[in-house]
Amino acid sequence: MAIECLVLGAGQEVGKSCAVVTINGKKIMFDCGMHMGYLDHRRYPDFSLISKSGDFNNALSCIIITHFHLDHIGALPYFTEVCGYNGPIYMTYPTKALAPLMLEDYRKVMVDRRGEEEQFSSEHITECMKKVTAVDLKQTVLVDRDLLIRAYYAGHVWFKLFILFAHTFPFELKFKMAFFWCLYHIPSFWN
């Protein structure tokens, strides 16, 4: 079984965390962050690499947000409300509670105080968060008939998610996903 990883951000830097993992045809986006150091097109991941046509609902099986920091959630309202993704989104309860506060604070600072062009509105944030399914640690969620996810504590912040997948070969996937997590969260590994 092959696992492919398309890194759309945070591969060698802090910011814009976003990776799409493909397992047996299922595409899971981990995080949908923004890069705080850019004010141009480099601020958000290049979503066109997921789907050239912009049909993200058919291109992705789900989005999993690991925690509430803007470099992990900052592009989510843009992706859902501007780009049009309407598929499943999962995050922990504490992340779901803090994410809209972080996003609205960012929006106010950038638009209201600095006068930048608005990338997403307060209404976008509200509508985006309505699409989120909150999960508990160790809760197993059936994404579809071929994909289960389960949340585990992973450090960095006390409610960060570490996801294990149960699919056709769950033991092999657990090992591979643990390895993927190490590569995704320790970019210096590649140096």
Side-chain angles (χ1 to χ4, degrees):
M1 171 185 1
I3 295 179
E4 297 175 17
C5 182
L6 173 62
V7 178
L8 300 176
Q12 290 291 321
E13 62 186 344
V14 174
K16 196 167 57 175
S17 293
C18 186
V20 178
V21 177
T22 304
I23 306 168
N24 283 351
K26 302 291 181 181
K27 289 188 179 193
I28 300 100
M29 178 190 284
F30 284 88
D31 292 329
C32 191
M34 69 167 40
H35 195 294
M36 302 297 289
Y38 296 116
L39 301 178
D40 57 16
H41 71 279
R42 297 173 293 173
R43 176 181 292 172
Y44 297 139
D46 184 358
F47 298 122
S48 70
L49 296 174
I50 300 168
S51 170
K52 296 289 183 198
S53 69
D55 184 7
F56 302 112
N57 296 319
N58 287 318
L60 294 172
S61 299
C62 69
I63 297 175
I64 297 170
I65 302 297
T66 60
H67 64 288
F68 69 88
H69 290 158
L70 288 173
D71 59 322
H72 294 263
I73 62 159
L76 190 59
Y78 179 81
F79 188 58
T80 61
E81 305 312 305
V82 177
C83 297
Y85 176 75
N86 289 309
I89 304 167
Y90 301 97
M91 61 181 68
T92 61
Y93 282 95
T95 296
K96 187 174 181 180
L98 292 170
L101 301 174
M102 296 292 290
L103 290 163
E104 182 59 24
D105 185 60
Y106 167 78
R107 192 202 63 74
K108 284 180 183 175
V109 168
M110 299 309 279
V111 175
D112 296 347
R113 291 188 190 160
R114 292 180 57 179
E116 285 191 28
E117 181 182 342
E118 187 170 69
Q119 300 293 311
F120 53 81
S121 66
S122 295
E123 293 78 23
H124 287 149
I125 295 167
T126 301
E127 291 305 309
C128 172
M129 296 311 295
K130 288 178 183 177
K131 297 173 182 172
V132 172
T133 300
V135 298
D136 282 319
L137 294 178
K138 299 185 180 178
Q139 176 184 351
T140 301
V141 176
L142 179 66
V143 176
D144 65 28
R145 69 178 191 88
D146 295 322
L147 181 61
L148 296 168
I149 60 172
R150 188 165 188 184
Y152 289 92
Y153 169 74
H156 185 53
V157 292
W158 66 271
F159 41 80
K160 184 172 182 176
L161 288 178
F162 171 57
I163 305 295
L164 296 181
F165 293 88
H167 203 276
T168 315
F169 304 101
F171 297 110
E172 183 180 3
L173 278 174
K174 286 181 182 182
F175 169 76
K176 288 183 179 180
M177 290 315 300
F179 180 70
F180 165 74
W181 186 87
C182 291
L183 297 181
Y184 183 57
H185 287 88
I186 307 173
S188 61
F189 177 87
W190 292 106
N191 293 334

Coordinates of all heavy atoms in Angstrom, one line a residue, residues 51-115:
S51 N -6.5 20.3 -6.8 CA -7.5 20.1 -7.8 C -7.4 21.3 -8.8 O -7.6 22.4 -8.4 CB -8.9 20.1 -7.3 OG -9.9 20.1 -8.3
K52 N -6.9 21.0 -10.0 CA -6.8 22.1 -11.0 C -8.1 22.7 -11.4 O -8.2 23.9 -11.7 CB -6.1 21.5 -12.3 CG -4.7 21.0 -12.1 CD -3.8 22.1 -11.9 CE -2.4 21.5 -11.8 NZ -1.4 22.4 -11.2
S53 N -9.2 21.9 -11.3 CA -10.5 22.4 -11.6 C -11.2 23.2 -10.5 O -12.2 23.8 -10.7 CB -11.4 21.2 -12.0 OG -11.7 20.4 -10.9
G54 N -10.6 23.1 -9.3 CA -11.2 23.7 -8.1 C -12.3 22.9 -7.5 O -13.0 23.4 -6.6
D55 N -12.5 21.7 -7.9 CA -13.5 20.8 -7.3 C -12.9 20.1 -6.1 O -12.5 18.9 -6.1 CB -14.0 19.8 -8.3 CG -15.1 18.9 -7.7 OD1 -15.6 19.2 -6.6 OD2 -15.5 17.9 -8.4
F56 N -12.7 20.8 -5.0 CA -12.1 20.3 -3.8 C -13.0 19.3 -3.0 O -12.4 18.4 -2.3 CB -11.7 21.5 -2.9 CG -10.8 22.5 -3.5 CD1 -11.3 23.7 -3.8 CD2 -9.5 22.1 -3.9 CE1 -10.4 24.7 -4.4 CE2 -8.7 23.0 -4.5 CZ -9.1 24.3 -4.8
N57 N -14.3 19.4 -3.2 CA -15.2 18.4 -2.5 C -14.9 17.0 -3.0 O -15.0 16.1 -2.2 CB -16.6 18.8 -2.7 CG -16.9 20.2 -2.1 OD1 -16.5 20.4 -0.9 ND2 -17.6 21.0 -2.8
N58 N -14.7 16.8 -4.3 CA -14.4 15.5 -4.8 C -12.9 15.1 -4.7 O -12.6 13.9 -4.7 CB -14.9 15.4 -6.2 CG -16.4 15.3 -6.3 OD1 -17.0 14.6 -5.5 ND2 -17.0 16.0 -7.2
A59 N -12.1 16.1 -4.6 CA -10.6 15.8 -4.5 C -10.2 15.4 -3.1 O -9.2 14.6 -3.0 CB -9.8 17.1 -4.9
L60 N -10.9 15.8 -2.0 CA -10.4 15.5 -0.7 C -11.5 14.7 0.0 O -12.7 14.9 -0.1 CB -10.3 16.8 0.1 CG -9.1 17.7 -0.3 CD1 -9.2 19.1 0.5 CD2 -7.8 17.1 -0.1
S61 N -11.0 13.7 0.8 CA -11.9 12.9 1.7 C -12.3 13.7 2.9 O -13.4 13.6 3.4 CB -11.2 11.6 2.1 OG -11.0 10.9 0.9
C62 N -11.3 14.4 3.5 CA -11.6 15.2 4.7 C -10.4 16.1 5.0 O -9.3 16.0 4.4 CB -11.9 14.4 5.9 SG -10.5 13.4 6.5
I63 N -10.6 17.1 5.9 CA -9.6 17.9 6.5 C -9.5 17.6 7.9 O -10.5 17.5 8.6 CB -9.9 19.4 6.3 CG1 -9.9 19.8 4.8 CG2 -8.8 20.3 7.0 CD1 -10.3 21.2 4.5
I64 N -8.2 17.5 8.4 CA -8.0 17.3 9.9 C -7.1 18.4 10.3 O -6.0 18.7 9.8 CB -7.3 16.0 10.1 CG1 -8.2 14.8 9.7 CG2 -6.9 15.8 11.6 CD1 -7.5 13.4 9.7
I65 N -7.6 19.2 11.3 CA -6.9 20.3 11.8 C -6.3 19.9 13.1 O -7.0 19.4 14.0 CB -7.8 21.6 12.1 CG1 -8.5 22.0 10.8 CG2 -7.0 22.7 12.7 CD1 -7.5 22.5 9.7
T66 N -5.0 20.0 13.2 CA -4.3 19.5 14.4 C -4.4 20.4 15.7 O -4.5 19.9 16.8 CB -2.8 19.3 14.1 OG1 -2.1 20.5 13.8 CG2 -2.6 18.2 13.1
H67 N -4.4 21.7 15.4 CA -4.6 22.6 16.6 C -4.9 24.1 16.1 O -4.9 24.3 14.9 CB -3.4 22.6 17.6 CG -2.1 23.1 17.0 ND1 -1.4 22.4 16.1 CD2 -1.4 24.2 17.2 CE1 -0.3 23.0 15.8 NE2 -0.3 24.2 16.5
F68 N -5.1 25.0 17.0 CA -5.7 26.3 16.7 C -4.7 27.4 16.2 O -5.2 28.4 15.9 CB -6.5 26.8 17.9 CG -5.6 27.2 19.0 CD1 -5.1 28.4 19.1 CD2 -5.4 26.2 20.0 CE1 -4.3 28.8 20.2 CE2 -4.6 26.6 21.1 CZ -4.0 27.9 21.2
H69 N -3.4 27.1 16.2 CA -2.5 28.2 15.8 C -2.8 28.6 14.3 O -3.1 27.8 13.5 CB -1.1 27.7 15.9 CG -0.7 27.6 17.4 ND1 0.4 26.8 17.8 CD2 -1.2 28.1 18.5 CE1 0.5 26.9 19.1 NE2 -0.4 27.7 19.6
L70 N -2.6 29.9 14.0 CA -2.9 30.4 12.7 C -2.1 29.7 11.6 O -2.6 29.6 10.5 CB -2.7 31.9 12.7 CG -3.8 32.7 13.4 CD1 -3.4 34.2 13.5 CD2 -5.2 32.5 12.8
D71 N -0.9 29.3 11.9 CA -0.1 28.6 10.8 C -0.7 27.2 10.5 O -0.3 26.6 9.6 CB 1.3 28.6 11.2 CG 1.7 27.8 12.5 OD1 0.9 28.0 13.4 OD2 2.7 27.1 12.5
H72 N -1.8 26.8 11.3 CA -2.4 25.6 11.0 C -3.9 25.7 10.6 O -4.5 24.8 10.0 CB -2.4 24.7 12.3 CG -1.0 24.2 12.6 ND1 -0.5 23.0 12.2 CD2 0.0 24.9 13.2 CE1 0.8 22.9 12.5 NE2 1.1 24.0 13.2
I73 N -4.5 26.9 11.0 CA -6.0 27.1 10.7 C -6.2 28.4 9.9 O -7.3 28.6 9.4 CB -6.8 27.2 11.9 CG1 -6.4 28.3 12.8 CG2 -6.9 25.8 12.7 CD1 -7.4 28.8 13.8
G74 N -5.2 29.2 9.7 CA -5.4 30.5 9.1 C -6.0 30.6 7.8 O -6.7 31.6 7.4
A75 N -5.9 29.6 6.9 CA -6.4 29.6 5.6 C -7.8 28.9 5.5 O -8.4 28.8 4.4 CB -5.5 29.0 4.6
L76 N -8.2 28.3 6.6 CA -9.4 27.4 6.6 C -10.7 28.2 6.1 O -11.4 27.7 5.2 CB -9.6 26.7 7.9 CG -10.7 25.7 7.9 CD1 -10.4 24.5 7.0 CD2 -10.9 25.1 9.4
P77 N -11.0 29.4 6.7 CA -12.2 30.1 6.2 C -12.1 30.5 4.7 O -13.1 30.5 4.0 CB -12.3 31.3 7.1 CG -11.4 31.1 8.2 CD -10.4 30.1 7.8
Y78 N -10.9 30.8 4.3 CA -10.7 31.1 2.9 C -10.9 29.9 2.0 O -11.6 30.0 1.0 CB -9.2 31.6 2.7 CG -8.9 32.0 1.2 CD1 -9.3 33.2 0.7 CD2 -8.2 31.1 0.4 CE1 -9.0 33.5 -0.6 CE2 -8.0 31.3 -0.9 CZ -8.3 32.6 -1.4 OH -8.1 32.9 -2.7
F79 N -10.4 28.7 2.4 CA -10.6 27.5 1.7 C -12.0 27.0 1.6 O -12.5 26.6 0.6 CB -9.7 26.4 2.3 CG -9.6 25.2 1.4 CD1 -9.2 25.2 0.1 CD2 -10.0 23.9 1.9 CE1 -9.1 24.1 -0.7 CE2 -9.9 22.8 1.2 CZ -9.5 22.8 -0.2
T80 N -12.7 27.2 2.7 CA -14.1 26.7 2.7 C -15.1 27.7 2.1 O -15.9 27.4 1.3 CB -14.6 26.4 4.2 OG1 -14.6 27.6 5.0 CG2 -13.8 25.3 4.8
E81 N -15.0 29.0 2.4 CA -16.0 30.0 2.0 C -15.6 30.7 0.7 O -16.5 31.1 0.0 CB -16.2 31.0 3.2 CG -16.5 30.4 4.5 CD -17.6 29.4 4.4 OE1 -18.7 29.7 3.9 OE2 -17.4 28.2 4.8
V82 N -14.4 30.8 0.4 CA -14.0 31.5 -0.9 C -13.7 30.4 -2.0 O -14.2 30.6 -3.1 CB -12.8 32.4 -0.6 CG1 -12.3 33.0 -2.0 CG2 -13.1 33.5 0.4
C83 N -12.9 29.4 -1.6 CA -12.6 28.4 -2.6 C -13.7 27.3 -2.7 O -13.8 26.6 -3.7 CB -11.3 27.7 -2.2 SG -9.9 28.7 -2.2
G84 N -14.6 27.2 -1.7 CA -15.8 26.4 -1.9 C -15.7 25.0 -1.3 O -16.6 24.2 -1.6
Y85 N -14.8 24.6 -0.5 CA -14.7 23.3 0.1 C -15.9 23.1 1.1 O -16.0 23.9 2.0 CB -13.4 23.0 0.7 CG -13.3 21.7 1.4 CD1 -13.2 20.5 0.7 CD2 -13.5 21.6 2.8 CE1 -13.2 19.3 1.3 CE2 -13.4 20.3 3.4 CZ -13.3 19.2 2.7 OH -13.3 17.9 3.3
N86 N -16.7 22.1 0.9 CA -17.8 21.8 1.8 C -17.7 20.4 2.4 O -18.7 20.0 3.0 CB -19.1 21.9 1.1 CG -19.4 23.4 0.7 OD1 -19.4 24.2 1.6 ND2 -19.7 23.6 -0.5
G87 N -16.6 19.7 2.3 CA -16.5 18.4 2.8 C -16.2 18.4 4.3 O -16.2 19.4 5.0
P88 N -16.0 17.2 4.9 CA -15.8 17.0 6.3 C -14.5 17.7 6.8 O -13.5 17.7 6.2 CB -15.7 15.5 6.5 CG -16.0 14.9 5.3 CD -16.0 15.9 4.2
I89 N -14.6 18.3 8.0 CA -13.5 19.0 8.7 C -13.5 18.5 10.1 O -14.6 18.6 10.8 CB -13.6 20.5 8.6 CG1 -13.7 21.0 7.2 CG2 -12.4 21.1 9.4 CD1 -14.1 22.5 7.1
Y90 N -12.4 18.0 10.6 CA -12.3 17.5 12.0 C -11.3 18.3 12.8 O -10.2 18.6 12.3 CB -12.0 16.0 12.0 CG -13.0 15.2 11.3 CD1 -12.8 14.8 9.9 CD2 -14.3 14.9 11.9 CE1 -13.8 14.1 9.2 CE2 -15.2 14.2 11.2 CZ -15.0 13.8 9.9 OH -15.9 13.1 9.2
M91 N -11.6 18.5 14.1 CA -10.6 19.1 15.0 C -11.2 18.8 16.4 O -12.3 18.4 16.6 CB -10.5 20.6 14.8 CG -11.7 21.4 15.0 SD -11.5 23.2 14.7 CE -11.2 23.3 12.9
T92 N -10.3 19.0 17.4 CA -10.8 18.7 18.8 C -11.7 19.8 19.3 O -11.8 20.9 18.7 CB -9.6 18.7 19.8 OG1 -8.9 19.9 19.8 CG2 -8.6 17.5 19.4
Y93 N -12.4 19.6 20.3 CA -13.3 20.6 20.9 C -12.6 21.8 21.3 O -13.1 22.9 21.0 CB -14.1 20.0 22.1 CG -15.2 19.1 21.7 CD1 -15.1 17.7 21.6 CD2 -16.5 19.6 21.4 CE1 -16.1 16.9 21.2 CE2 -17.5 18.8 21.0 CZ -17.4 17.4 20.9 OH -18.4 16.6 20.5
P94 N -11.5 21.7 22.0 CA -10.8 23.0 22.4 C -10.3 23.8 21.2 O -10.4 25.0 21.1 CB -9.6 22.5 23.2 CG -10.0 21.2 23.7 CD -10.8 20.6 22.7
T95 N -9.9 23.1 20.1 CA -9.5 23.8 18.9 C -10.7 24.5 18.3 O -10.6 25.6 17.8 CB -8.8 22.8 17.9 OG1 -7.6 22.3 18.5 CG2 -8.5 23.5 16.6
K96 N -11.8 23.8 18.2 CA -13.0 24.4 17.6 C -13.5 25.6 18.5 O -14.0 26.6 17.9 CB -14.2 23.4 17.6 CG -15.4 23.9 16.8 CD -16.4 22.9 16.6 CE -17.6 23.6 15.8 NZ -18.7 22.6 15.5
A97 N -13.2 25.6 19.8 CA -13.6 26.7 20.6 C -12.7 27.9 20.4 O -13.1 29.1 20.4 CB -13.6 26.3 22.1
L98 N -11.4 27.7 20.2 CA -10.4 28.7 20.1 C -10.2 29.2 18.7 O -9.8 30.4 18.5 CB -9.1 28.3 20.7 CG -9.1 28.1 22.2 CD1 -7.8 27.4 22.7 CD2 -9.3 29.4 22.9
A99 N -10.4 28.4 17.7 CA -10.1 28.8 16.3 C -10.9 30.0 15.9 O -10.2 30.9 15.3 CB -10.5 27.6 15.4
P100 N -12.2 30.2 16.1 CA -12.8 31.4 15.6 C -12.3 32.6 16.3 O -12.3 33.7 15.7 CB -14.3 31.2 15.9 CG -14.4 30.0 16.9 CD -13.1 29.2 16.7
L101 N -11.9 32.5 17.6 CA -11.3 33.7 18.3 C -10.0 34.1 17.6 O -9.7 35.3 17.4 CB -11.1 33.3 19.8 CG -12.3 32.9 20.5 CD1 -12.0 32.5 21.9 CD2 -13.4 34.1 20.6
M102 N -9.2 33.1 17.3 CA -7.9 33.4 16.7 C -8.1 34.0 15.3 O -7.4 35.0 14.9 CB -7.0 32.1 16.6 CG -6.7 31.5 17.9 SD -5.5 32.5 18.8 CE -4.0 32.3 17.8
L103 N -9.0 33.4 14.5 CA -9.2 33.9 13.2 C -9.8 35.3 13.2 O -9.4 36.1 12.4 CB -10.1 32.9 12.5 CG -9.5 31.5 12.1 CD1 -10.6 30.5 11.8 CD2 -8.5 31.7 11.0
E104 N -10.7 35.6 14.0 CA -11.4 36.9 14.1 C -10.4 37.9 14.6 O -10.3 39.1 14.1 CB -12.6 36.9 15.0 CG -13.3 38.2 15.0 CD -13.8 38.8 13.7 OE1 -14.0 38.0 12.7 OE2 -14.0 40.0 13.6
D105 N -9.5 37.6 15.5 CA -8.5 38.5 16.0 C -7.5 38.8 14.9 O -7.2 40.0 14.7 CB -7.8 37.9 17.2 CG -6.8 38.9 17.8 OD1 -7.2 39.9 18.2 OD2 -5.5 38.5 17.8
Y106 N -7.1 37.8 14.2 CA -6.2 38.0 13.0 C -6.9 39.0 12.0 O -6.3 39.9 11.5 CB -5.9 36.7 12.4 CG -5.2 36.9 11.0 CD1 -3.9 37.3 10.9 CD2 -5.9 36.7 9.8 CE1 -3.3 37.5 9.7 CE2 -5.4 36.9 8.6 CZ -4.0 37.3 8.5 OH -3.5 37.5 7.3
R107 N -8.2 38.7 11.7 CA -8.9 39.5 10.7 C -9.0 40.9 11.1 O -8.7 41.8 10.3 CB -10.3 38.9 10.5 CG -11.0 39.5 9.2 CD -12.5 39.3 9.3 NE -13.1 40.1 10.5 CZ -13.2 41.4 10.5 NH1 -12.9 42.1 9.5 NH2 -13.7 42.0 11.6
K108 N -9.3 41.1 12.4 CA -9.4 42.5 12.9 C -8.1 43.3 12.8 O -8.0 44.4 12.4 CB -9.9 42.5 14.3 CG -11.3 42.3 14.5 CD -11.7 42.3 15.9 CE -13.2 42.0 16.1 NZ -13.5 41.9 17.5
V109 N -7.0 42.6 13.2 CA -5.7 43.2 13.1 C -5.3 43.6 11.7 O -4.8 44.7 11.4 CB -4.6 42.3 13.8 CG1 -3.2 42.9 13.5 CG2 -4.8 42.3 15.3
M110 N -5.4 42.6 10.8 CA -5.0 42.8 9.4 C -5.9 43.8 8.6 O -5.4 44.6 7.9 CB -4.9 41.5 8.7 CG -4.0 40.5 9.3 SD -2.3 41.2 9.6 CE -1.6 41.1 8.0
V111 N -7.2 43.7 8.8 CA -8.1 44.5 8.0 C -8.5 45.8 8.7 O -8.3 46.9 8.2 CB -9.4 43.7 7.7 CG1 -10.4 44.6 7.0 CG2 -9.1 42.5 6.9
D112 N -8.9 45.7 9.9 CA -9.4 46.9 10.6 C -8.3 47.8 11.1 O -8.4 49.1 11.0 CB -10.2 46.5 11.9 CG -11.5 45.8 11.5 OD1 -11.9 45.8 10.3 OD2 -12.1 45.2 12.4
R113 N -7.2 47.3 11.5 CA -6.1 48.1 12.0 C -5.0 48.4 10.9 O -4.5 49.5 10.9 CB -5.4 47.4 13.2 CG -6.3 47.4 14.4 CD -5.5 46.9 15.6 NE -6.5 46.7 16.7 CZ -6.2 45.9 17.7 NH1 -5.1 45.3 17.8 NH2 -7.1 45.7 18.7
R114 N -4.7 47.4 10.1 CA -3.6 47.7 9.1 C -4.2 48.0 7.7 O -3.4 48.4 6.9 CB -2.8 46.4 9.0 CG -2.0 46.2 10.3 CD -1.1 45.0 10.3 NE -0.2 45.0 9.2 CZ 0.7 44.0 9.0 NH1 0.8 43.0 9.8 NH2 1.5 44.1 7.9
G115 N -5.5 47.9 7.6 CA -6.1 48.3 6.3 C -5.8 47.4 5.1 O -6.0 47.8 4.0

